[in-house]
């Protein structure tokens, strides 16, 4: 059908084309287009696609289908397929071919195990991350050539995997030239609809624009109907249709068709759109109706051959019937060998109108057509569709078998949530089928186990644990090996979720399930997991025992990865028991062994079961874990140079294998950054952070992004800090360590800007987050507590409390903060504390800040901070020297102050630590530590106007005076006595001819020098 001109929707189209402009200019955008069925979402998207093509965009138009979860990532696959015929086909094909995980989504390529990546039990969410990474890479590559418009329509039908993908892309796309249009039907969105929470989350993102399509206005409807009918319509007729259609163009089209149909002339029009649509189909000849019904059962887009087989018509008869259907505009040609319903609502109406018997019969016929080995093997999603149709035709055994098959397929495609759903369906059918073992080719307990694993992979840990508990109690003593595995997984998930105590019992049960002999990998793995669970206990004896046993058992069973894991755990145990050198030694050995095994491993082909898999990819996982802990331990030992090697190499290896976003890949990237933050190679650190998503899409990425604030804050990159925080905030509630890191940095940022109130608020929130994370005051609390004390001290100094020696209020707050820092530092290291756990430097700083806050700023205390941080932390050392210089100046030791000041200024300048440089500048001026530098700058200012006669010192006094400070306070700030300050004030007033302090302050304001200097 030739489309009639677009009516109305000018405003909406303007918004959307505006978004195209933004995307083309390098700002990724997302539009959420919503509205009732038939209101015009698809039409608007098509219009936008045409505009985009004219502007040179690569357009990827994808749609979801009604059959939820049949094909994971269906809208994406659809977009790739549709675009493969478009103008950018060449580039697209290249971009896809370079990423094997994408090619397997496309039906014309058989799913070959060699390129697929079944999820690994140890790395939840790893497979989807790989796919997401590939999609992102592909879009980035395409967008580099020309801007991209990705359309994902009808997301109300999307499965979990596609929803996750949309969230991921919306968050992660940033400066890529990509516009994404996502549409969904509002009338289908019931309260429990799984799209709702996703939408709520998306709408919080600054890059997302919602666009709700309301009814068309009557004038637009009239224009549309007139254009459609091709004849002038009577006013009464037009008015009636417009009234009834309520602004829905599709409804109007159907009403018009019905009104013009000779078969209905003179009859009353049906009441609802549904009835109207059904009556349209009913007026077709019998054979044509059969075709429409067969198509309605098959889906929105239907394959010609498939519909013929399902309709039961012979070829010539079918040909004729399908021609009639197309002539009546119920189906329209779609693609080279298929049709689509003119509108999804039409399919739904026809389907809803089928009698139960007819429906069952058609589903059964469809199922028998789909039970074709070649199709099942080659066309993704066939097994899931088959399961659906078999279930709908009450073929329960068939549905069971197909569900299991579909679950395996979803696993291979990296869609664990879909796999979980298929397993659950199989389980729900289990008891309704005779001989389910024979039918499914497996046993119920194995299915339940897999279902639980996939739930965990898909991010539903709670659900996974419920399933595991059920399974464990169902198992009794019947299958010790499975009992061992299920208990081990339960312990692992509990520990992962922070319930270390809850994990103890299942960890022990896992080990107890199997005898030590003969050696088995299951038991080795259980021992290894128990060791890492026990690592959280105060007494490390049991952990060491288990880790040693795990290593020996794994060796005996030939389970390489488990062995590597156990060795790393042994290293961690040494570290925790206060023997860091021994720990580094063990971790070095573990790393060396894992790396050589990974290098010698065969192709990255997973074996089943995945927990014992020793393929290249899994051994690489072990290598990365070892690399991470080795680098971290060296960094904590004050050896950033030694940490840089494994961090750098690990990051490279992870990236190369596409594991940059997988758990240890992510951690290594963060660590690599922190190593160079610590050693002062900040340009390199920022280069590394350039690869961290500002738009965090997962807790892991949020932690990474929070870490990347370190240099940005230290270099005073205010805009970048704000940008990161905007995207980080949504993760604060879900990830306390990201919150703690980010808020701690925000506090420091606020301190640099002289806003000690904000600094205090943020530091306190960081402490609360750390407390929640560590269940009490632990190592994470030390740094924010020190920063909070710094804020308190700054506040006291600014308020003049220190100068007067009056600190009635400050001590209580300061005391409790110091107490928190001390408690935190005394607690032993948590097993999984990431890198950058504060060393003794931060506790020393807390002590020194406390003294400063109570008015006893002490050079010795700051000297201790400088020493505690040591030469391996150039930035922290310089920052501490700044305070040391200040304290020395206050104590009248100007020579020493000048020496420390110079050292700090040298380092700060080298690092490009702008706020610290400014602070040193200010201190240098106030305390006259760098007079030459300052005079030259200020002499230019004072050469004009009424201030021309003031000396540098007088100018400084005037600035403080204008800020409302008293003489005592001015004296303390400038390291002079109150009396000297008052002398300066008198001189200033005389030189300015001011009769009072107020007048002098007014002149300062008028001359624009009244900006408050740093406290
Ligand atoms: N603004 C419009 N101008 C002209 N025709 C429209 C307009 N909006 C929708 N239509 C027509 O109405 C019908 C239903 O629109 P469609 O985009 O398929 O709805 P939706 O995708 O929201 O269900 C289609 O035939 C479409 O061409
Ligand atoms: Mg539509």
């Amino acid at each position: 059908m030739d489309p009639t001109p677009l009516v109305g929707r000018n405003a909406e189209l303007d918004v959307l084309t505006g978004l195209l402009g933004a995307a083309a200019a390098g700002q990724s955008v997302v539009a959420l287009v919503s509205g009732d069925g038939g209101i015009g979402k698809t039409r608007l998207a098509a219009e936008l696609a045409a505009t985009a093509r004219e502007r040179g965009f690569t357009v990827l138009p994808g749609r979801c289908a009604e059959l939820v979860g049949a094909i994971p990532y269906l809208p994406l696959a659809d977009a790739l397929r549709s675009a493969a015929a478009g103008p950018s086909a060449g580039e697209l094909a290249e971009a896809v071919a370079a990423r094997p995980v994408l090619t397997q989504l496309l039906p014309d390529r058989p799913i070959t195990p060699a390129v697929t990546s079944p999820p690994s039990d140890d790395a939840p969410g790893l497979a989807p991350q790989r796919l997401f990474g590939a999609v992102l890479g592909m879009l980035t590559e395409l967008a580099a050539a020309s801007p991209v418009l990705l359309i994902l329509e009808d997301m109300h039908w999307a499965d979990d995997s596609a929803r996750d993908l949309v969230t991921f892309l919306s968050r992660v796309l940033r400066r890529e030239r990509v516009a994404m249009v996502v549409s969904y039907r509002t009338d289908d969105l019931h309260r429990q609809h799984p799209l709702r929470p996703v939408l709520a989350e998306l709408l919080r993102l600054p890059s997302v624009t919602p666009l709700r399509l309301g009814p068309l206005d009557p004038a637009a409807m009239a224009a549309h109907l007139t254009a459609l009918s091709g004849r002038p319509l009577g006013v009464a007729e037009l008015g009636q249709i417009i009234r009834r259609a309520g602004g829905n163009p599709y409804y109007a089209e159907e009403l018009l068709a019905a009104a013009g149909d000779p078969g209905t002339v003179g009859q009353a029009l049906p009441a609802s759109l549904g009835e109207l649509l059904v009556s349209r189909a009913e007026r077709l000849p019998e054979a044509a109706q059969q075709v429409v019904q067969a198509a309605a059962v098959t889906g929105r887009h239907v394959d010609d051959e498939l519909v013929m087989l399902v309709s039961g018509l012979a070829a010539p008869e079918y040909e004729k019937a399908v021609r009639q259907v197309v002539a009546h505009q119920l189906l329209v040609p779609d693609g080279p060998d298929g049709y689509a319903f003119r509108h999804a609502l039409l399919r739904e109406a026809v389907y809803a109108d089928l009698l139960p018997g007819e429906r069952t019969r058609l589903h059964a016929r469809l199922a028998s057509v789909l039970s074709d080995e070649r199709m099942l093997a080659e066309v993704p999603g066939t097994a899931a569709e088959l399961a659906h149709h078999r279930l709908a035709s009450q073929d329960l055994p068939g549905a069971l078998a197909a569900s299991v098959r579909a679950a395996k397929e979803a696993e291979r495609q990296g869609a664990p949530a879909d796999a979980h759903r298929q397993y659950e369906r199989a389980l729900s059918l289990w008891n309704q089928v005779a001989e389910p073992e024979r039918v499914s080719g497996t046993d119920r307990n194995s299915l339940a186990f897999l279902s639980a694993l996939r739930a965990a992979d898909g991010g539903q840990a709670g659900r996974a644990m419920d399933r595991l508990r059920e399974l464990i109690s169902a198992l009794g003593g019947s299958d010790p090996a499975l009992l061992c595995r299920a208990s081990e997984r339960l312990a692992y998930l509990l520990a992962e979720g922070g319930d270390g105590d809850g994990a103890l019992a299942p960890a022990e049960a896992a080990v107890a399930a199997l005898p030590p002999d003969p050696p088995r990998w299951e038991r080795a793995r259980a021992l290894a997991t128990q060791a890492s669970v026990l690592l959280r206990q105060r007494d490390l004896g049991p952990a060491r025992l288990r880790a040693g046993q795990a290593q020996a058992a794994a060796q005996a069973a030939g389970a390489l990865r488990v062995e590597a894991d156990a060795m790393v755990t042994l290293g961690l145990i040494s570290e925790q028991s206060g023997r860091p050198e021994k720990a580094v030694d063990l971790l070095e050995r573990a790393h060396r062994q894992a790396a050589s095994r990974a290098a010698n491993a065969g192709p990255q082909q997973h074996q089943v079961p995945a927990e014992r898999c020793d393929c290249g990819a899994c051994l690489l996982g072990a290598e990365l874990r070892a690399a991470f802990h080795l680098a971290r331990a060296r960094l904590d030992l004050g050896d950033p140079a030694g940490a840089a090697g494994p961090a750098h190499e690990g990051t490279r290896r992870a990236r190369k294998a596409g594991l940059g976003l997988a758990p240890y890949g992510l951690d290594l990237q963060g660590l690599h950054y922190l190593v160079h933050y610590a050693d002062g190679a900040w340009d390199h650190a920022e280069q590394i952070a350039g690869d961290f998503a500002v738009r965090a899409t997962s807790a892991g990425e949020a932690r990474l992004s929070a870490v990347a604030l370190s240099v940005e804050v230290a270099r005073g990159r205010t805009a970048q800090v704000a940008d990161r925080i905007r995207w980080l905030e949504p993760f604060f509630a879900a990830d306390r360590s990201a919150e703690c890191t980010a808020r701690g940095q925000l506090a420091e940022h606020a301190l640099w800007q002289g806003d000690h109130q904000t600094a205090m608020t943020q530091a306190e929130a960081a402490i609360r987050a750390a407390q929640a994370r560590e269940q009490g005051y632990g190592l994470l609390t030390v740094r924010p507590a020190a920063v909070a004390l710094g804020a308190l001290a700054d506040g006291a100094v600014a308020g003049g409390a220190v100068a007067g020696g009056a600190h009635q209020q400050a001590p209580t707050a300061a005391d409790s903060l110091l107490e928190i820092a001390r408690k935190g530092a005394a607690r032993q290291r948590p097993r999984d504390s990431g890198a950058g756990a504060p060393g003794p430097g931060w506790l020393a700083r807390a002590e020194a800040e406390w003294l400063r806050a109570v008015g006893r700023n002490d050079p010795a205390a700051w000297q201790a901070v400088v020493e505690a941080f040591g030469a391996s932390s150039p930035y922290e050392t310089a920052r501490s020297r700044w305070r040391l210089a200040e304290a020395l100046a206050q104590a009248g030791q100007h020579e020493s102050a000048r020496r420390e000041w110079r050292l700090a200024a040298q380092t700060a300048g080298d690092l490009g630590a702008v706020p610290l440089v400014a602070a040193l500048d200010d201190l240098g001026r106030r305390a006259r530590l760098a007079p030459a530098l300052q005079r030259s700058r200020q002499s230019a200012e004072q050469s004009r106007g009424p201030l021309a006669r003031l000396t540098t010192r007088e100018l400084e006094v005037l600035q403080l005076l204008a800020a409302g400070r008293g003489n005592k306070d001015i004296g303390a700030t400038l390291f002079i006595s109150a009396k000297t300050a008052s002398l300066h004030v008198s001189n200033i007033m005389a030189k300015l001819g001011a009769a009072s302090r107020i007048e002098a302050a007014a002149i300062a304001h008028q001359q624009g020098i009244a900006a408050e200097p740093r406290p």
Side-chain angles (χ1 to χ4, degrees):
M1 180 175 73
D2 288 339
T4 55
L6 186 81
V7 298
R9 305 291 182 227
N10 286 332
E12 290 88 345
L13 206 55
D14 280 353
V15 171
L16 290 174
T17 42
L19 291 178
L20 286 185
Q27 191 195 341
S28 315
V29 289
V30 181
L32 291 182
V33 177
S34 63
D36 290 351
I39 205 72
K41 301 179 293 298
T42 301
R43 179 65 202 266
L44 192 63
E47 207 74 29
L48 184 71
T51 309
R53 283 195 191 93
E54 276 166 23
R55 296 190 184 180
F57 275 63
T58 300
V59 180
L60 309 175
R63 284 185 185 188
C64 300
E66 295 91 321
L67 186 45
V68 171
I71 306 176
Y73 307 111
L74 174 71
L76 174 69
D78 189 45
L80 297 180
R81 208 179 309 132
S82 321
S88 333
E91 283 138 36
L92 181 71
E94 248 173 60
V96 170
R99 298 172 175 83
V101 281
L102 291 182
T103 51
Q104 62 176 310
L105 291 176
L106 300 172
D108 45 350
R109 321 210 180 208
I111 300 168
T112 49
V115 297
T116 60
S117 52
S120 141
D121 299 342
D122 281 1
L126 183 132
Q129 289 283 27
R130 256 192 194 189
L131 184 103
F132 288 7
V135 175
L136 180 61
M138 175 200 74
L139 288 176
T140 310
E141 193 174 307
L142 288 176
S146 47
V148 175
L149 171 63
L150 173 63
I151 301 175
L152 300 172
E153 271 208 75
D154 296 330
M155 279 297 291
H156 53 281
W157 284 321
D159 53 59
D160 307 84
S161 49
R163 278 193 298 269
D164 289 348
L165 180 67
V166 166
T167 310
F168 171 80
L169 291 176
S170 307
R171 285 182 166 284
V172 85
L173 289 169
R174 191 165 178 248
R175 304 248 177 270
E176 294 79 7
R177 295 190 295 165
V178 176
M180 209 158 80
V181 172
V182 172
S183 80
Y184 62 94
R185 224 198 244 178
T186 22
D187 44 352
D188 261 15
L189 228 54
H190 55 80
R191 277 190 35 222
Q192 304 297 323
H193 198 287
L195 188 62
R196 279 194 184 272
V198 175
L199 293 171
E201 193 185 337
L202 290 180
L203 286 171
R204 280 201 297 271
L205 301 178
S207 59
V208 172
T209 307
L211 197 63
R212 183 166 178 137
L213 300 191
L216 286 172
D217 64 38
M221 290 287 273
H224 180 49
L225 286 164
T226 310
L228 259 182
S229 72
R231 64 184 166 93
L233 295 165
V235 177
E237 188 186 7
L238 200 59
Q240 198 197 11
I241 294 179
I242 289 175
R243 247 191 327 280
R244 298 256 322 259
N248 185 313
Y250 181 57
Y251 196 178
E253 286 170 17
E254 289 298 333
L255 286 166
L256 182 69
D261 191 312
T264 55
V265 168
Q267 291 178 13
L269 283 172
S272 70
L273 178 56
E275 283 171 54
L276 185 64
L277 293 171
V278 167
S279 74
R280 187 137 134 71
E282 276 170 349
R283 288 195 302 276
L284 291 171
E286 179 60 29
Q289 281 192 43
Q290 268 172 268
V291 169
V292 174
Q293 290 170 346
V297 172
T298 309
R300 165 87 171 286
H301 169 91
V302 292
D303 184 81
D304 189 43
E305 201 184 320
L306 199 60
V307 175
M308 184 178 90
L309 292 171
V310 177
S311 70
L313 297 171
E317 208 184 342
Y318 169 78
E319 295 298 339
K320 187 171 154 230
V322 87
R323 248 194 308 272
Q324 287 167 333
V325 175
V326 172
H328 280 81
Q329 294 270 328
L330 279 93
L331 292 178
V332 291
D334 186 29
D337 34 36
Y339 303 94
F341 275 92
R342 236 271 291 134
H343 198 276
L345 290 170
L346 182 59
R347 189 203 74 84
E348 286 158 46
V350 173
Y351 185 83
D353 193 53
L354 287 172
L355 296 172
E358 288 174 324
R359 218 180 273 169
T360 310
R361 193 171 44 76
L362 287 169
H363 277 294
R365 217 181 275 158
L366 194 53
S368 80
V369 177
L370 291 175
S371 317
D372 172 273
E373 258 322 302
R374 189 197 55 85
M375 206 141 111
L376 279 165
E378 289 182 6
V379 184
T382 307
E385 265 183 64
L386 180 58
H388 168 80
H389 293 299
R390 280 182 174 164
L391 195 61
S393 62
Q394 264 119 58
D395 170 8
L396 304 188
L400 171 60
S403 298
V404 173
R405 189 161 181 161
K408 302 271 177 221
E409 188 177 318
E411 279 177 349
R412 281 196 305 273
Q413 291 186 318
D418 297 284
H420 169 64
R421 205 154 11 80
Q422 298 289 353
Y423 279 129
E424 287 296 300
R425 175 152 68 191
L427 287 166
S428 73
L429 292 168
W430 194 266
N431 290 331
Q432 305 176 53
V433 169
E435 296 186 86
E437 285 86 359
R438 191 187 52 73
V439 169
S440 65
T442 178
D443 65 293
R444 187 178 196 289
N445 292 332
S446 305
L447 278 187
F449 184 57
L450 289 173
S451 183
L453 295 190
R454 298 297 86 86
D457 292 345
Q460 297 176 279
R463 191 160 187 163
M465 291 191 275
D466 288 346
R467 289 288 174 278
L468 288 170
R469 287 197 189 91
E470 280 165 28
L471 173 62
I472 289 166
S473 67
L475 274 171
S478 62
D479 185 344
L482 190 57
L483 180 63
C484 173
R485 292 174 67 190
S487 306
E488 184 271 334
R489 282 295 94 184
L490 179 58
Y492 174 86
L493 290 172
L494 281 164
E496 193 72 352
D499 184 3
D501 291 339
L504 290 169
E508 175 63 30
V511 171
L514 289 170
D517 274 313
R520 298 184 60 141
W521 70 264
E522 291 94 335
R523 188 162 188 279
R525 150 101 21 225
L527 283 163
T529 299
Q530 193 186 11
S532 56
V533 168
L534 287 168
L535 196 47
R536 296 171 201 226
Q537 300 296 302
R538 203 162 270 282
D539 176 8
L540 291 169
R544 183 173 291 115
L545 179 73
R546 287 312 198 199
Q549 289 174 336
Q551 192 192 358
Q555 204 167 21
L560 303 181
R561 184 166 50 119
V562 179
E563 191 188 341
D565 284 344
M567 278 175 75
V568 170
T569 304
L570 277 171
L572 297 179
I573 292 168
S574 290
E575 193 178 18
Q576 264 213 26
S577 35
R579 287 185 295 170
E581 279 85 9
K582 170 109 192 284
V584 166
D585 197 50
L586 280 165
L587 290 169
E588 271 167 8
R589 274 173 47 207
H591 181 236
R592 222 177 303 122
Q593 195 183 82
S596 79
R597 281 173 177 176
N600 293 329
Q604 303 203 347
Q605 171 129 29
H606 279 282
Q607 300 140 16
V608 176
E611 305 120 281
R612 71 98 61 235
C613 174
D614 281 333
C615 76
C618 290
L619 286 172
L620 177 63
E623 176 192 330
L624 297 181
R625 177 169 180 250
F628 169 74
H629 284 296
L630 174 58
R632 186 189 48 69
R634 281 181 178 161
L635 183 61
D636 289 353
L637 261 185
D639 176 18
H648 181 91
E649 181 61 12
T651 305
R652 195 189 62 79
R653 300 258 298 149
R655 283 264 168 108
K656 191 159 162 251
L659 295 177
L661 294 176
Y664 279 103
L666 203 86
D667 296 330
L668 274 162
Q669 291 196 56
L671 191 56
H672 190 201
Y673 172 92
L674 280 172
V675 163
H676 293 304
Y677 171 64
D679 72 11
W682 283 6
D683 291 337
H684 188 35
E686 287 204 297
Q687 190 191 342
I688 295 167
D691 291 332
F692 299 176
V694 167
R695 301 186 175 185
T697 91
S698 64
E701 285 177 275
R703 282 198 291 272
L704 212 51
S705 182
V707 161
L709 286 167
S710 315
V711 174
E712 285 167 7
V713 166
R715 282 189 159 172
R717 303 202 192 284
T718 303
Q720 266 155 277
V721 170
D723 199 20
R724 254 185 218 291
I725 290 297
R726 218 157 43 118
W727 293 88
L728 272 170
E729 260 167 356
F731 283 96
F732 283 177
D735 193 280
R736 295 298 179 191
S737 33
E739 180 183 11
C740 174
T741 311
R743 289 199 191 276
Q745 290 294 341
L746 276 182
E748 296 194 19
H749 193 53
L751 270 192
W752 283 135
Q753 297 179 324
D755 180 357
H756 45 85
Q757 242 115 28
T758 303
M760 195 62 187
T761 318
Q762 290 294 353
E764 279 175 340
I767 292 171
R768 278 195 300 277
Q771 209 182 345
R773 173 82 176 82
E774 300 182 317
Q775 289 151 20
Y777 295 124
L779 279 176
L780 287 179
T781 32
V782 184
R783 181 169 177 167
V787 174
L789 278 163
L792 214 54
D794 282 3
V797 171
V802 171
H807 40 83
Q808 285 87 359
Q809 282 184 330
T812 46
D815 290 350
S816 58
L817 282 168
L818 182 60
E819 190 57 29
I820 289 173
R822 286 181 178 159
K823 270 195 195 146
R827 255 259 294 262
Q828 60 175 178
R829 159 186 291 285
R831 181 192 80 114
D832 53 353
S833 70
W842 287 99
L843 179 60
R845 178 161 160 202
E847 305 273 0
E849 295 284 19
W850 180 83
L851 285 167
R852 191 163 73 90
V854 301
R856 305 210 303 265
N857 203 10
D858 179 10
W862 286 108
Q863 183 63 45
V865 186
V866 171
E867 278 156 25
F869 276 116
S872 62
S873 306
Y875 175 59
E876 293 307 343
T877 308
R879 178 147 64 166
S880 313
R881 284 193 202 281
W882 160 52
R883 287 292 183 203
L884 173 56
E886 182 189 52
L888 286 167
Q890 278 171 354
Q893 304 179 35
H894 283 277
E895 253 335 290
S896 313
R898 202 158 285 139
R899 195 181 56 239
E900 298 298 335
W901 186 92
R902 239 181 274 118
L903 286 170
Q906 175 71 45
T907 309
D910 290 350
L911 289 171
V914 175
L916 179 56
V917 167
L920 282 161
D921 216 31
D922 174 65
L923 173 66
R925 182 171 51 72
R926 288 186 293 117
R928 305 227 149 147
L929 299 176
L933 189 95
Q934 289 310 313
R935 288 237 175 88
S936 63
R937 204 185 69 188
Q938 294 208 337
S939 60
E941 285 169 25
Q942 58 186 159
S943 61
R944 300 179 302 273
L947 306 180
R949 293 182 52 223
L950 300 192
T951 66
T952 306
R953 186 50 114 192
E954 284 164 354
L955 273 171
E956 287 163 0
V957 172
L958 179 59
Q959 276 185 322
L960 292 166
L961 184 152
R965 307 285 199 86
N967 288 350
K968 225 189 257 178
D969 192 8
I970 292 174
T973 306
L974 296 178
F975 305 93
I976 53 183
S977 72
K979 188 150 173 292
T980 311
S982 107
L983 270 175
H984 281 305
V985 171
S986 310
N987 284 338
I988 291 166
M989 280 162 54
K991 285 185 183 174
L992 294 180
S996 66
R997 295 174 74 92
I998 308 219
E999 255 179 53
I1003 293 172
H1005 279 283
Q1006 181 209 7
Q1007 293 299 313
I1009 66 148
E1012 167 125 352
R1014 299 188 50 77

